[in-house]
Amino acid sequence: MNKKKWIIISAVVVFLGGGGYFGYSYLNATPSNGDEMTMEQPSFPTANVERGEVKKTIFAGGTVAAKAREEVKPEVSGKVERLLVSEGQTVSKGDLLYTVDTTDALLDLQKQELVITRAQKDLAELKEKKDRIISKKSGKVKEILVKEGAEVTPDTVVAKLVDTDHLKINGKFTAFEAERFRVGQKVKVFLRASLTYVDGTISKIDLTGSKVQGVGGGMHDVEVLVRKQGALYAGDMGEVQFTNDKGVLFASQYPTPLELPDDLEVVADTHGKIDSVMFKEDDMIKEGQVLFKMDVSSAELELREKELSVKESLLAMEQKKREIEKKQVEAPISGVITKLNVKEGETPSGGEPVAVIMDTSSVYFMAAVDEIDIPAIKLGQAVEVYVTAFGNRPFVGKVVEVPKEGTKEDKAVRFEVKVELAESSEMKHGMTGDCDIFIEQKENVLRLPLNAVEVMEEGKGTVMVKNPENGEPMPKEVEIGVEGTDYLEIVSGLAEGDEVLLMGGM
């Protein structure tokens, strides 16, 4: 209880004691010499109705609390690798306080990334799966290289075809000449037997070259495909010729024979299992023709399982990343480090905080209000706080937070009301005190001291005034308003300046 309230209570006790004394003396007075005693009217202290302020308050004890206080506890176990702060140091929110050894965590993360890479590769292959294998070339089937039930990949050669529409000829050129050609270029082939020319297309250029016995320097093959026509056969001799834009003729060094083209390889271009073969050897195959049908019965289920596996792996990797982030411990608030319980190389104990950070830029007074009084507490109400360390000095504040839940203490329930103080630089976290919360306040109203009015019921009271006929005390009913800590509001029944008796005073 603050010093102001002790003064008021002491005054009331004195008044009551004095009133009892005068009453006893008046009623028990007797003449000392047997003659009739002349009774003298007793005198009582009086109070005048005046205008002023009436305040109704709720009294509550409490403690001073810093604006914010955070205990930094380790979220993951491990040895402190680097300690970047010290006690008494001021930090900002997000500043790095310390780091925990991440060697094992980083290794686990790398392993998880490899798992994800493999899973994503498998998923991509599944998505590339086709329900059939189609030939991208034309020719006669020379060999079927896979059977039903065989597993294939995109690069698997599933069949070989013979190009029955073309012959090839390898023209021999010097390195300088070979560099003048390009694949797809149109050239002429001179046939010696018929002394005629046929059109050809360059299909391959050997830029590496090789030594040819009896010929000076190296020779480079320029392969040309010639469409079969008329009496054109393998073994016929010919020369590859080309005239450039400047009229320069490039001709193969010597005649070479026409040959059957190389076998054409057909690749699967998909993943999966062969379900059925749609052709046979010696068949003529056209470009775009379906060669195989694939087994797709389990593909959809496999795809879903693989997608789920990739998601699980990604979640696991995110978890690893979060674990690593937790090993980089940052300041949750801005403030001063008031306590530090760890050193570099030590493993923090799970039971106590590694550090305590307190924002001492301002403090609050946390008033423990009884559950009976809490309905009257509202945001913005004025408060006077008395901190024990500063005696009877009042600190002005206001209610800024009213809790939704209370805390049971013994048999009572109390609610911790937050009071913001206008000036708190001298206060320290944990100091104790009490406060008056002004729940109702009126200015410039008629008022009387508390001990001048006997409250009968809500809104009604009685005062003692002098009987105008004989000067003796007589009761008078008044209407009262706010019942304050020191005064009561007089709504009606008395006027400003009226005098009332303090029957309980002296």
Side-chain angles (χ1 to χ4, degrees):
M1 183 178 293
N2 60 51
K3 294 184 178 179
K4 177 182 67 176
K5 284 188 165 51
W6 277 113
I7 294 170
I8 293 170
I9 291 172
S10 299
V12 171
V13 170
V14 170
F15 283 145
L16 290 176
Y21 168 77
F22 278 108
Y24 177 82
S25 299
Y26 180 77
L27 293 175
N28 293 281
T30 57
S32 59
N33 55 5
D35 296 330
E36 184 178 346
M37 178 179 179
T38 303
M39 300 300 297
E40 187 175 332
Q41 192 79 16
S43 63
F44 295 94
T46 62
N48 292 95
V49 178
E50 64 180 9
R51 286 195 173 275
E53 182 182 63
V54 179
K55 295 180 180 179
K56 184 177 182 179
T57 65
I58 288 176
F59 175 78
T63 57
V64 175
K67 181 178 180 180
R69 182 181 183 275
E70 288 285 343
E71 293 185 349
V72 182
K73 294 185 177 180
E75 294 187 61
V76 292
S77 61
K79 183 172 62 176
V80 172
E81 191 173 49
R82 289 189 302 151
L83 183 61
L84 306 170
V85 293
S86 58
E87 282 191 13
Q89 180 176 336
T90 300
V91 295
S92 298
K93 182 178 179 179
D95 284 353
L96 191 60
L97 302 180
Y98 68 95
T99 64
V100 178
D101 185 12
T102 59
T103 304
D104 293 340
L106 288 173
L107 182 59
D108 289 341
L109 179 61
Q110 291 173 352
K111 289 178 181 178
Q112 193 61 43
E113 287 174 342
L114 288 175
V115 170
I116 291 173
T117 300
R118 293 192 188 100
Q120 289 176 331
K121 180 176 179 294
D122 293 342
L123 181 60
E125 291 177 352
L126 283 172
K127 289 182 176 179
E128 290 174 0
K129 275 189 174 182
K130 301 173 183 176
D131 61 354
R132 62 193 66 188
I133 296 175
I134 298 174
S135 178
K136 294 183 179 180
K137 300 176 181 179
S138 300
K140 182 179 181 180
V141 178
K142 178 180 179 180
E143 187 177 4
I144 301 174
L145 301 176
V146 293
K147 299 179 181 180
E148 293 179 1
E151 291 283 349
V152 297
T153 64
D155 296 327
T156 302
V157 178
V158 295
K160 289 185 178 181
L161 307 181
V162 175
D163 184 356
T164 57
D165 295 329
H166 296 86
L167 293 173
K168 73 172 183 178
I169 183 171
N170 285 310
K172 304 294 183 178
F173 291 89
T174 64
F176 173 79
E177 293 171 329
E179 290 176 355
R180 310 274 83 78
F181 295 104
R182 68 182 185 278
V183 174
Q185 183 177 335
K186 302 298 183 181
V187 294
K188 296 289 187 179
V189 176
F190 176 69
L191 301 174
R192 286 202 167 193
S194 59
L195 300 178
T196 58
Y197 287 91
V198 293
D199 294 327
T201 303
I202 295 175
S203 56
K204 191 185 299 182
I205 300 173
D206 173 23
L207 294 177
T208 303
S210 60
K211 289 284 187 177
V212 177
Q213 191 173 1
V215 177
M219 288 290 104
H220 296 258
D221 286 345
V222 177
E223 183 183 278
V224 176
L225 290 180
V226 179
R227 182 171 290 279
K228 275 190 176 182
Q229 52 183 317
L232 191 62
Y233 301 98
D236 290 346
M237 302 298 287
E239 297 175 5
V240 178
Q241 297 181 5
F242 170 70
T243 302
N244 67 12
D245 295 338
K246 295 180 180 180
V248 178
L249 175 66
F250 295 92
S252 51
Q253 296 294 313
Y254 50 87
T256 51
L258 291 171
E259 303 174 288
L260 293 175
D262 295 336
D263 293 341
L264 303 175
E265 294 183 341
V266 179
V267 296
D269 200 29
T270 188
H271 293 269
K273 183 187 294 185
I274 301 294
D275 182 62
S276 57
V277 181
M278 309 300 293
F279 67 110
K280 58 185 183 297
E281 288 186 4
D282 295 329
D283 281 356
M284 293 300 298
I285 301 300
K286 295 181 180 179
E287 184 178 348
Q289 182 175 332
V290 176
L291 302 181
F292 303 90
K293 287 187 176 180
M294 306 299 294
D295 181 3
V296 294
S297 58
S298 61
E300 187 65 26
L301 178 60
E302 189 178 0
L303 180 62
R304 290 180 181 176
E305 289 179 346
K306 190 58 69 175
E307 286 176 338
L308 181 60
S309 176
V310 170
K311 288 181 180 178
E312 288 176 344
S313 297
L314 287 171
L315 287 174
M317 183 175 72
E318 287 302 315
Q319 180 64 32
K320 294 294 182 185
K321 287 182 178 180
R322 282 196 292 270
E323 288 179 5
I324 291 176
E325 288 175 359
K326 288 178 181 179
K327 291 175 181 285
Q328 307 287 315
V329 183
E330 299 177 349
I333 62 170
S334 298
V336 177
I337 296 177
T338 59
K339 195 172 185 181
L340 201 58
N341 296 321
V342 75
K343 297 178 181 178
E344 286 187 1
E346 293 181 347
T347 300
S349 171
E352 63 179 6
V354 173
V356 176
I357 303 176
M358 193 179 298
D359 182 354
T360 56
S361 59
S362 63
V363 296
Y364 295 100
F365 185 78
M366 308 305 293
V369 177
D370 191 273
E371 60 181 316
I372 296 175
D373 297 324
I374 198 67
I377 305 297
K378 301 290 186 293
L379 295 178
Q381 289 173 335
V383 183
E384 284 185 356
V385 175
Y386 298 85
V387 178
T388 305
F390 301 103
N392 204 36
R393 173 184 169 187
F395 290 87
V396 178
K398 66 178 179 179
V399 175
V400 294
E401 185 178 309
V402 181
K404 300 291 185 183
E405 297 181 5
T407 304
K408 190 169 184 179
E409 299 176 6
D410 296 327
K411 295 183 179 180
V413 176
R414 300 192 184 279
F415 291 77
E416 199 169 57
V417 174
K418 182 184 284 188
V419 176
E420 185 180 61
L421 299 171
E423 202 284 308
S424 60
S425 60
E426 299 176 75
M427 298 184 191
K428 304 297 182 184
H429 178 84
M431 286 183 172
T432 61
D434 53 49
C435 69
D436 288 322
I437 302 173
F438 298 99
I439 61 172
E440 195 170 359
Q441 186 172 351
K442 286 190 176 181
E443 304 282 348
N444 194 30
V445 295
L446 296 178
R447 69 179 187 179
L448 279 173
L450 285 177
N451 60 334
V453 183
E454 182 179 359
V455 179
M456 308 303 293
E457 58 182 85
E458 186 175 357
K460 293 182 179 181
T462 301
V463 297
M464 298 300 291
V465 298
K466 289 181 180 180
N467 189 322
E469 296 179 0
N470 54 26
E472 294 182 359
M474 62 175 284
K476 184 175 184 180
E477 189 174 294
V478 293
E479 184 182 351
I480 61 176
V482 177
E483 298 179 38
T485 306
D486 304 317
Y487 295 92
L488 284 85
E489 177 191 6
I490 303 300
V491 177
S492 64
L494 293 171
E496 184 176 0
D498 285 353
E499 187 178 44
V500 300
L501 304 176
L502 299 177
M503 298 300 293
M506 60 178 293

